[in-house]
Short mmCIF file of all heavy atoms in Angstrom, two decimals:
data_model
loop_
_atom_site.label_atom_id
_atom_site.label_comp_id
_atom_site.label_asym_id
_atom_site.label_seq_id
_atom_site.Cartn_x
_atom_site.Cartn_y
_atom_site.Cartn_z
N THR A 286 -41.11 -9.88 24.38
CA THR A 286 -41.29 -10.92 25.39
C THR A 286 -41.45 -12.16 24.71
O THR A 286 -42.21 -12.37 23.73
CB THR A 286 -42.49 -10.61 26.21
OG1 THR A 286 -42.29 -9.29 26.90
CG2 THR A 286 -42.63 -11.66 27.31
N PRO A 287 -40.74 -13.28 25.14
CA PRO A 287 -41.02 -14.60 24.50
C PRO A 287 -42.37 -15.18 25.02
O PRO A 287 -42.43 -15.43 26.20
CB PRO A 287 -39.82 -15.46 25.09
CG PRO A 287 -39.42 -14.78 26.33
CD PRO A 287 -39.76 -13.34 26.23
N VAL A 288 -43.33 -15.23 24.15
CA VAL A 288 -44.66 -15.67 24.48
C VAL A 288 -44.98 -16.99 24.24
O VAL A 288 -45.98 -17.60 24.63
CB VAL A 288 -45.75 -14.68 23.86
CG1 VAL A 288 -45.60 -13.25 24.44
CG2 VAL A 288 -45.57 -14.66 22.32
N ALA A 289 -44.13 -17.69 23.39
CA ALA A 289 -44.37 -19.08 22.96
C ALA A 289 -43.14 -19.62 22.26
O ALA A 289 -42.13 -18.88 22.27
CB ALA A 289 -45.55 -19.12 22.00
N ALA A 290 -43.23 -20.81 21.77
CA ALA A 290 -42.20 -21.33 20.98
C ALA A 290 -42.70 -22.37 20.00
O ALA A 290 -43.83 -22.90 20.13
CB ALA A 290 -41.13 -22.06 21.90
N ILE A 291 -41.98 -22.60 18.95
CA ILE A 291 -42.30 -23.68 17.97
C ILE A 291 -41.18 -24.61 17.92
O ILE A 291 -39.97 -24.27 18.27
CB ILE A 291 -42.58 -23.04 16.57
CG1 ILE A 291 -41.24 -22.42 16.03
CG2 ILE A 291 -43.74 -22.10 16.62
CD1 ILE A 291 -41.44 -22.02 14.51
N ASN A 292 -41.46 -25.85 17.49
CA ASN A 292 -40.42 -26.79 17.22
C ASN A 292 -40.80 -27.75 16.06
O ASN A 292 -41.98 -27.80 15.70
CB ASN A 292 -39.94 -27.56 18.42
CG ASN A 292 -40.87 -28.69 18.81
OD1 ASN A 292 -41.85 -28.98 18.24
ND2 ASN A 292 -40.45 -29.40 19.87
N VAL A 293 -39.88 -28.43 15.49
CA VAL A 293 -40.04 -29.50 14.63
C VAL A 293 -39.41 -30.74 15.17
O VAL A 293 -38.47 -30.64 15.82
CB VAL A 293 -39.58 -29.22 13.20
CG1 VAL A 293 -40.44 -28.05 12.53
CG2 VAL A 293 -38.19 -28.92 13.14
N SER A 294 -40.01 -31.91 14.95
CA SER A 294 -39.46 -33.14 15.47
C SER A 294 -39.59 -34.25 14.53
O SER A 294 -40.49 -34.25 13.62
CB SER A 294 -40.12 -33.48 16.83
OG SER A 294 -41.48 -33.82 16.62
N GLY A 295 -38.67 -35.25 14.71
CA GLY A 295 -38.74 -36.41 13.78
C GLY A 295 -37.68 -37.44 14.25
O GLY A 295 -37.05 -37.28 15.29
N HIS A 296 -37.60 -38.53 13.52
CA HIS A 296 -36.54 -39.54 13.81
C HIS A 296 -35.18 -38.87 13.75
O HIS A 296 -34.92 -37.95 12.92
CB HIS A 296 -36.66 -40.68 12.89
CG HIS A 296 -37.67 -41.68 13.27
ND1 HIS A 296 -37.77 -42.31 14.47
CD2 HIS A 296 -38.74 -42.26 12.58
CE1 HIS A 296 -38.81 -43.10 14.52
NE2 HIS A 296 -39.42 -43.07 13.38
N ALA A 297 -34.24 -39.31 14.46
CA ALA A 297 -32.84 -38.87 14.39
C ALA A 297 -32.27 -38.90 13.00
O ALA A 297 -31.60 -37.96 12.65
CB ALA A 297 -31.94 -39.62 15.43
N THR A 298 -32.69 -39.90 12.25
CA THR A 298 -32.20 -40.02 10.83
C THR A 298 -32.67 -38.85 10.04
O THR A 298 -32.10 -38.58 9.01
CB THR A 298 -32.62 -41.41 10.25
OG1 THR A 298 -33.98 -41.46 10.39
CG2 THR A 298 -31.88 -42.49 10.90
N ASP A 299 -33.83 -38.34 10.38
CA ASP A 299 -34.44 -37.14 9.59
C ASP A 299 -33.53 -35.91 9.76
O ASP A 299 -33.78 -34.94 9.07
CB ASP A 299 -35.80 -36.87 10.05
CG ASP A 299 -36.72 -38.00 9.56
OD1 ASP A 299 -36.55 -38.65 8.60
OD2 ASP A 299 -37.73 -38.28 10.30
N PHE A 300 -32.72 -35.85 10.77
CA PHE A 300 -31.88 -34.68 11.05
C PHE A 300 -30.40 -34.96 10.77
O PHE A 300 -29.51 -34.11 11.08
CB PHE A 300 -31.97 -34.40 12.58
CG PHE A 300 -33.21 -33.74 12.98
CD1 PHE A 300 -34.42 -34.42 13.02
CD2 PHE A 300 -33.25 -32.38 13.47
CE1 PHE A 300 -35.57 -33.78 13.37
CE2 PHE A 300 -34.47 -31.71 13.88
CZ PHE A 300 -35.59 -32.44 13.75
N ALA A 301 -30.15 -36.10 10.15
CA ALA A 301 -28.75 -36.43 9.93
C ALA A 301 -28.03 -35.63 8.83
O ALA A 301 -28.68 -35.41 7.79
CB ALA A 301 -28.67 -37.95 9.58
N GLY A 302 -26.75 -35.23 9.12
CA GLY A 302 -26.05 -34.46 8.11
C GLY A 302 -26.11 -33.02 8.33
O GLY A 302 -27.03 -32.40 8.71
N ALA A 303 -24.92 -32.43 8.16
CA ALA A 303 -24.74 -30.99 8.42
C ALA A 303 -25.69 -30.14 7.57
O ALA A 303 -26.30 -29.14 7.96
CB ALA A 303 -23.32 -30.52 8.21
#
Side-chain angles (χ1 to χ4, degrees):
T286 301
V288 293
I291 62 171
N292 79 359
V293 293
S294 63
H296 280 303
T298 53
D299 294 325
F300 284 68

